[in-house]
Amino acid sequence: MKPIKVGLLGIGTVGSGTFNVLKRNQLEITRRAGRSIEIAMVADLNVERARELTNGECEVVNDANLVVSNPDIDIVIELIGGYGIAKDLVMKAIANGKHVVTANKALLATHGNEIFKAAEEKGVMVAFEAAVAGGIPIIKALREGLTANRIQWIAGIINGTTNFILSEMRDKGLDFAAVLKQAQELGYAEADPTFDIEGVDAAHKATIMASIAYGIPMQFDKAHVEGITKLQASDIRYAEELGYRIKLLGISKRTEDGIELRVHPTLIPEKRLIANVEGAMNAVLVHGDAVGATLYYGKGAGSEPTASAVIADLVDITRLATADPEHRVPYLAFQSNSLSDLPVLPMAEIVTSYYLRMHVADKPGVLADVTRILADLTISIDAMLQKEPAEGETQTDIIILTHQTKEKNIVAAIEKIEKLDSVFGAVTKLRLEELS
Ligand code: HSE
């Protein structure tokens, strides 16, 4: 059978990894795919570098439009990123009848519904294993491996940069700003790390996973997004004293009223496997009603780990290219006419446990006032930690862990606690998940 022809848009870190792994493992991949997969054309603004990387083995152009309009190209790999030109090119490729492989989580989380609709109308595939958790085959697992299950919840460490920063903060007792600087010097964090540290990148990935887990359209605009920039070294220390680690988690949960979709720093029991995922590694915990908890671990970024996911998509498309569209795996795991309108819940309605830290006067009655406020709002206390005031000090920190309650109850309690004369400054609130 003649080779399937691929056009690559962008030959940076992931693009060059894809080129190299495809070449190195060509025989093995062809035996799996049933025909050979050939990168026939590469578009990159740095043509010189692209030519060097591809050793003259394929055509190199600086205009990506030439790739998406080339009638010889069967599959377009989009590795440009962002939602500007990348979106135009993906839509043009689809309009020209090409299958698309993309690692672009921002594009899918924000414009996925439009892209999948166009692809369905044209009968082409859009594959995106590399968009979530790099080399971990989590899309395949959710969309196919767990297809028997009603997925109940997903919790993932899906941003390596922030996991590296949190690991360093815990290991070295440093504050966020100091570790970020170090991460940038080491090349882990981008020069503009906003999407990573503010939780946006993780929210894109959580949005995509929620969509295929619960059969709902992409709804990034409804996700709660909170990063790690305000996290203090003292909270990591106190959490540890109580037996918890703090991780930036992308969480989605199915409840009777709707779907919870949120990214925020989260306390998790230190004995959970996922609590021990350190450095830039990723891990995703998925709970299905039949299978129970399953855990997926690996590299969430990098040249060849991400290429591994891109090539898995190329092989899938190669195998299914001649199949009727209705015999293919649906884009969002559920048939497009069977998507659910289950709402994404506002944060006030989510249910979880909480870590509260407050700075208080060390005198009789303070704790009684705080616990009365919590009791009046039916918030039950799970654990408490009061620190000895420092030498000569009359103020101290109190840390309270609560049982599960609605977010709106905690918000109301904090408002009242902050009004007490004996409580100084703002109350720090972090969410806690048992993940059991
Ligand atoms: N910036 C991401 C991370 C990798 O730090 O995990 C690409 O998704």
Side-chain angles (χ1 to χ4, degrees), residues 105 158-161 196 201 205 300-301:
K105 56 255 162 179
I158 42 182
N159 183 268
T161 304
D196 290 322
D201 176 73
K205 295 166 180 166

Side-chain angles (χ1 to χ4, degrees), residues 18-97:
T18 302
F19 190 88
N20 293 336
V21 175
L22 254 185
K23 194 168 152 190
R24 190 171 73 230
N25 296 342
Q26 191 181 30
L27 208 60
E28 205 82 343
I29 291 167
T30 307
R31 284 171 61 210
R32 289 186 168 119
R35 65 196 270 205
S36 88
I37 299 171
E38 184 187 298
I39 296 190
M41 202 171 180
V42 171
D44 200 286
L45 291 177
N46 191 341
V47 174
E48 200 101 317
R49 185 172 166 276
R51 284 213 177 98
E52 254 168 55
L53 289 169
T54 53
N55 311 308
E57 288 165 31
C58 65
E59 188 181 349
V60 175
V61 294
N62 73 353
D63 181 2
N65 284 295
L66 297 175
V67 177
V68 299
S69 61
N70 182 339
D72 292 336
I73 296 293
D74 304 297
I75 308 174
V76 168
I77 307 177
E78 183 274 307
L79 297 175
I80 294 170
Y83 6 65
I85 183 168
K87 184 184 173 211
D88 286 351
L89 289 164
V90 164
M91 293 305 276
K92 275 186 196 156
I94 291 170
N96 290 336

Side-chain angles (χ1 to χ4, degrees), residues 188-240:
Y188 284 112
E190 307 279 339
D192 177 5
T194 317
F195 267 28
D196 290 322
I197 62 179
E198 296 294 357
V200 178
D201 176 73
H204 287 145
K205 295 166 180 166
T207 299
I208 295 172
M209 288 195 288
S211 198
I212 57 177
Y214 313 110
I216 55 172
M218 299 280 183
Q219 294 169 75
F220 171 69
D221 55 333
K222 309 244 174 66
H224 171 82
V225 188
E226 201 179 310
I228 61 167
T229 53
K230 296 193 188 90
L231 206 59
Q232 294 193 7
S234 60
D235 292 316
I236 294 178
R237 211 172 50 240
Y238 290 148
E240 200 154 20

